[in-house]
Amino acid sequence: MGKTNTEDYLRMYRQMVRIRTFEDNANQLYLSAKMPGLTHMYSGEEAVAVGLCEALTDTDRITSTHRGHGHCVAKGAAFREMFCELLGKAEGYCRGKGGSMHIADQSHGNLGANAIVGGSMGIATGSALRAKLLGQDDVTVCFFGDGATAQGLLYEVMNMAALWKLPVIYACENNGYSEYTRTDEIAAGSITARAEAFGIEAHQVDGQDVLAVNALARDLVARARKGEGPFFVELMTYRYHGHHVGDINREYYRSKDEEKDWKENRDPIIRFRAHLVSEGIATEEEIEAMNAEIEADAAEAVAYAEKAPYPPADEVDMHVYAD
Amino acid sequence: MRQITLSQAVNEAIAEEMRRDPAVFLMGEDVAEAGTPFKVLSGLVEEFGTARVIDTPISEPGFVGMAVGAAMTGARPIVDLMFGDFIYLVMDQLCNQAAKQHYMSGGKLTVPMVLRTNMGATRRSAAQHSQSLQALVAHIPGLKVAMPSSAYEAKGLMKTAIRDNNPVVIFEDKLMYQDKAEVPEEEYLIPFGEAHVKRAGRDITLIGTSSMVQVAEKAAALLAADGIEAEVIDPRTLVPLDEATLLESVRRTSRAIVIDEGHQSYGVTAEIASRLNEKAFYHLDAPVLRMGAMDVPVPFSPALEDLTVPTPEGVAEAARRLCGGEMIHAA
Ligand SMILES: Cc1ncc(C[n+]2csc(CCOP(=O)(O)OP(=O)(O)O)c2C)c(N)n1
Ligand SMILES: [Mg+2]
């Protein structure tokens, strides 16, 4: 195994652990009533965001969802600015005006989470249209959930993306549920077939296998860059927490056994860690050290964010209009 | 000076801006070879090609959403929404996405896009092709709203809209596309938030938007015959609104009527009247009067449709009564 691969693999592992660690801390902040509002945890779905975003550069764009912390971290965001944003502090990515559901990180090409289910499909496709129009070679990845496939907007923009061969990749994170409803109750037929109906090449991939996701993503991103897009990917995954942090008692819609099975047998981090060790890419000690370092980073960022100041009152009507 | 139609003025503004800035492009239904059903955009595709004058499928939320994304990443889209009535279809993209990106991102993202659409009744187009929905968007922080009242305004406001770094909605009155006005050959822009005093007067202020500027001017002519001098003001943009010019006038005349073709209730007239009542109260001899379109879906029958919009005669009559000291209120 070449050195580049080793570095790529370790970075992917690191990014997945960073997401999980970020979410554990965010959940704790919510449970201890330190975080205003509520939030949707990405834990369990790390391989999706990391596998895809590791195939992108900073000039490539993504659009994200209400369950967006994972995308944000995977696209290169820093813990401090993220926790500050979650706590509504002035040093947050959006100066505390967006919060968990609107976190955006322009500097790394993250056009933002979106609290309207499916709301960013037009934005992602428009970003791709701009790339084509202005002769730029970046690719846009549009993240959305299985539930969002019920929005008509998706079919409008996929039609246009296919007609105009836009460099956009539609990434459907199928975690089996939209809120408290099973996907098979809200989605008729096959999700990938819907994209195929527009002549869009569609793939289904194990969203718990970061290498599988990344291999597919690298191929599709390279081809989209050459003008062979758009593409559609359905990533089979699972969210470990409730729909949002307050969704604690959920046996009425999914069983504890089901959750246990995904966590114990298909966890993307545990699986990839075993792979790294068995392939001799990292030792258990090295991995433990990396985990500890990430935990320390997160703890430092949380402590920083807790102490950070809120935005001053005169910012309330700032940023309504751009100059 | 040369005279051109409002339609030509819009076309010229867009062509000039597309020549100036390669990031400007047009998209909408039948905007290319057809040049829109109103032929406003004829000739643009011949000059700029189909890459920059893009015919879309009939997917309003889709292409407005795409304009938002293109704008957020460095392009400057002009979206053609064939009828103002279709704004209901794009409310999420316009009001939840475009309007809020700059604020939600703490000032990091911008959405420099123009949504050009139309308004105006009495074209016998019935309830779903006749509405004047400017109040709906003027209500949403983050959007700017322009209402050209002639070819001159249409050109100058369009050029400003295209250069603005915010989402701007321009409502053109579809009955005015063939109306001519003097438009200079030389380039000019009309800044947003600058009202235009169309006619000076000392007895009453008539504030009209878009087509209602013509109604107010005709009413002023009728009033002049009775010896009443009406001042006519066109705010030109609803957001931002040039309150100062309106207030200065009303403080002088002590009476005002606000005329707009949107429904009267919860509308543009209500907002402007309320600001004048609050800020010029001690200068007023009568409450500021609202005159909007009747609160009914626009009927098809000409016999009924014509009853729903303000007319010069109606405005003049209300003005006479106000100036005569009567305490009248909106219908
Ligand atoms: C237009 C819209 N309708 C409903 C909601 C409420 N809502 C928030 S998340 C959600 C479920 C989304 O499911 P999915 O797309 O599968 O994403 P997941 O939460 O599973 O990641 C719903 C219904 C919303 N935010 N926006
Ligand atoms: Mg889901």
Side-chain angles (χ1 to χ4, degrees):
Chain A
M1 187 162 299
K3 185 160 179 338
T4 337
N5 265 357
T6 304
E7 279 169 11
D8 288 349
Y9 282 23
L10 289 175
R11 204 175 49 244
M12 283 196 262
Y13 178 80
R14 169 184 287 274
Q15 287 291 65
M16 290 203 290
V17 175
R18 286 183 76 236
I19 294 172
R20 182 75 56 88
T21 310
F22 183 91
E23 295 298 51
D24 289 346
N25 280 275
N27 193 37
Q28 224 27 64
L29 283 168
Y30 174 80
L31 294 175
S32 57
K34 286 177 179 161
M35 196 183 82
L38 52 73
T39 184
H40 308 80
M41 300 278 99
Y42 198 73
S43 313
E45 308 189 15
E46 293 87 353
V48 171
V50 172
L52 275 160
C53 290
E54 282 296 314
L56 302 175
T57 67
D58 276 355
T59 49
D60 292 321
R61 312 301 214 282
I62 64 163
T63 61
S64 166
T65 69
H66 58 284
R67 196 176 303 290
H69 306 162
H71 311 135
C72 197
V73 171
K75 198 71 178 63
F79 278 174
R80 269 197 187 185
E81 286 83 347
M82 284 188 71
F83 280 120
C84 280
E85 190 58 38
L86 259 58
L87 297 185
K89 301 299 180 73
E91 282 175 61
Y93 273 115
C94 309
R95 297 203 64 77
K97 284 191 163 113
S100 164
M101 284 201 288
H102 301 294
I103 197 158
D105 172 16
Q106 170 80 323
S107 57
H108 293 99
N110 178 358
L111 298 175
N114 209 304
I116 303 298
V117 169
S120 66
M121 293 160 168
I123 294 172
T125 313
S127 166
L129 175 68
R130 174 270 320 153
K132 182 160 188 189
L133 179 81
L134 302 183
Q136 296 162 346
D137 77 344
D138 60 281
V139 172
T140 304
V141 174
C142 177
F143 287 100
F144 55 91
D146 47 285
T149 63
Q151 286 284 5
L153 184 64
L154 176 61
Y155 306 96
E156 297 192 358
V157 298
M158 282 204 299
N159 183 41
M160 286 183 269
L163 281 169
W164 304 333
K165 301 201 173 10
L166 301 182
V168 56
I169 297 172
Y170 298 101
C172 176
E173 307 179 300
N174 188 344
N175 59 12
Y177 296 87
S178 56
E179 279 189 353
Y180 323 111
T181 304
R182 291 176 54 86
T183 308
D184 56 21
E185 291 175 39
I186 54 103
S190 141
I191 287 177
T192 49
R194 299 178 186 189
E196 283 162 355
F198 294 99
I200 297 177
E201 182 181 315
H203 299 262
Q204 198 185 59
V205 62
D206 178 0
Q208 307 308 87
D209 179 348
V210 73
L211 291 183
V213 174
N214 187 249
L216 178 63
R218 280 177 193 274
D219 176 48
L220 298 184
V221 168
R223 288 169 59 199
R225 245 190 253 298
K226 285 191 290 181
E228 292 174 29
F231 297 104
F232 188 101
V233 187
E234 182 184 12
L235 304 112
M236 311 310 285
T237 186
Y238 200 76
R239 64 164 155 80
Y240 287 176
H241 292 259
H243 168 60
H244 57 71
V245 282
D247 173 23
I248 310 285
N249 300 316
R250 43 183 185 270
E251 272 178 278
Y252 70 93
Y253 73 89
R254 67 180 207 188
S255 70
K256 288 208 161 119
D257 283 349
E258 180 186 296
E259 294 186 4
K260 193 160 168 274
D261 179 45
W262 280 86
K263 287 181 191 173
E264 289 180 359
N265 303 318
R266 306 178 65 171
D267 183 77
I269 297 177
I270 296 176
R271 275 170 79 175
F272 195 47
R273 173 180 175 146
H275 178 82
L276 293 180
V277 173
S278 72
E279 294 292 313
I281 297 167
T283 63
E284 289 287 353
E285 293 70 42
E286 283 163 350
I287 285 176
E288 282 306 325
M290 196 193 295
N291 292 354
E293 178 205 320
I294 292 167
E295 254 168 58
D297 260 11
E300 184 280 327
V302 168
Y304 183 88
E306 284 184 275
K307 283 196 228 84
Y310 284 107
D314 68 2
E315 290 201 14
V316 69
D317 60 357
M318 208 180 269
H319 307 130
V320 180
Y321 294 98
D323 293 334
Chain B
M1 201 190 292
R2 67 162 183 165
Q3 295 214 337
I4 60 172
T5 64
L6 191 145
S7 173
Q8 287 169 314
V10 171
N11 189 302
E12 272 191 13
I14 293 174
E16 286 176 18
E17 292 305 300
M18 286 182 75
R19 274 174 218 133
R20 191 184 60 83
D21 182 352
V24 178
F25 73 100
L26 251 172
M27 68 194 303
E29 293 155 20
D30 286 322
V31 295
E33 287 78 7
T36 79
F38 296 98
K39 304 295 168 204
V40 176
L41 305 178
S42 296
L44 293 176
V45 75
E46 283 76 8
E47 179 173 354
F48 299 103
T50 49
R52 288 177 73 197
V53 182
I54 304 172
D55 269 342
T56 65
I58 309 164
S59 302
E60 287 82 3
F63 65 74
V64 171
M66 288 172 67
V68 179
M72 284 165 69
T73 55
R76 302 186 84 89
I78 306 168
V79 184
D80 183 285
L81 190 67
M82 194 184 287
F83 281 88
D85 309 68
F86 307 159
I87 259 187
Y88 298 125
L89 280 88
V90 305
M91 278 311 233
D92 181 57
Q93 295 307 318
L94 191 60
C95 302
N96 271 327
Q97 310 299 341
K100 295 177 175 44
Q101 294 298 337
H102 189 64
Y103 192 83
M104 292 193 304
S105 67
K108 287 190 186 145
L109 296 166
T110 54
V111 186
M113 68 178 269
V114 178
L115 185 86
R116 61 169 290 271
T117 190
N118 53 40
M119 38 102 23
T122 69
R123 200 167 160 264
R124 317 313 179 206
S125 305
Q128 295 172 342
H129 284 74
S130 305
Q131 297 167 86
S132 301
L133 298 176
Q134 53 272 21
L136 291 187
V137 285
H139 187 66
I140 309 303
L143 301 178
K144 294 187 177 180
V145 183
M147 307 270 300
S149 62
S150 80
Y152 177 79
E153 272 81 17
K155 182 167 181 186
L157 291 172
M158 177 61 76
K159 285 174 69 88
T160 303
I162 295 169
R163 296 187 198 187
D164 198 285
N165 285 327
N166 297 280
V168 179
V169 186
I170 297 197
F171 289 91
E172 296 156 7
D173 188 309
K174 52 179 125 44
L175 282 106
M176 284 167 44
Y177 280 130
Q178 297 316 317
D179 289 4
K180 288 190 170 178
E182 288 192 346
V183 175
E185 307 262 4
E186 315 75 65
E187 173 166 69
Y188 66 96
L189 280 84
I190 299 178
F192 283 2
E194 274 188 24
H196 181 215
V197 181
K198 299 281 275 191
R199 177 184 179 124
R202 59 174 184 202
D203 297 323
I204 185 165
T205 304
L206 305 179
I207 298 160
T209 61
S210 180
S211 54
M212 294 298 111
V213 175
Q214 288 182 14
V215 167
E217 284 183 303
K218 286 182 189 151
L222 295 173
L223 291 166
D226 301 341
I228 298 173
E229 287 180 31
E231 181 145 304
V232 176
I233 306 185
D234 171 10
R236 301 203 286 204
T237 51
L238 299 182
V239 185
L241 182 69
D242 179 2
E243 248 183 39
T245 299
L246 304 183
L247 282 169
E248 185 282 321
S249 172
V250 170
R251 286 184 182 130
R252 248 188 309 106
T253 61
S254 310
R255 295 178 186 85
I257 303 177
V258 192
I259 316 143
D260 174 80
E261 220 186 309
H263 295 300
Q264 184 166 284
S265 293
Y266 302 95
V268 168
T269 56
E271 175 63 25
I272 296 177
S274 170
R275 292 201 204 188
L276 299 175
N277 282 327
E278 283 169 11
K279 294 181 181 170
F281 184 74
Y282 293 106
H283 298 80
L284 291 173
D285 287 337
V288 176
L289 194 68
R290 293 169 297 147
M291 291 187 85
M294 205 181 268
D295 291 325
V296 297
V298 179
F300 166 68
S301 172
L304 301 178
E305 186 180 26
D306 290 347
L307 302 175
T308 65
V309 290
T311 59
E313 296 72 26
V315 173
E317 173 60 15
R320 268 185 222 106
R321 293 172 66 189
L322 277 182
C323 290
E326 263 184 76
M327 280 297 173
I328 60 170
H329 52 71

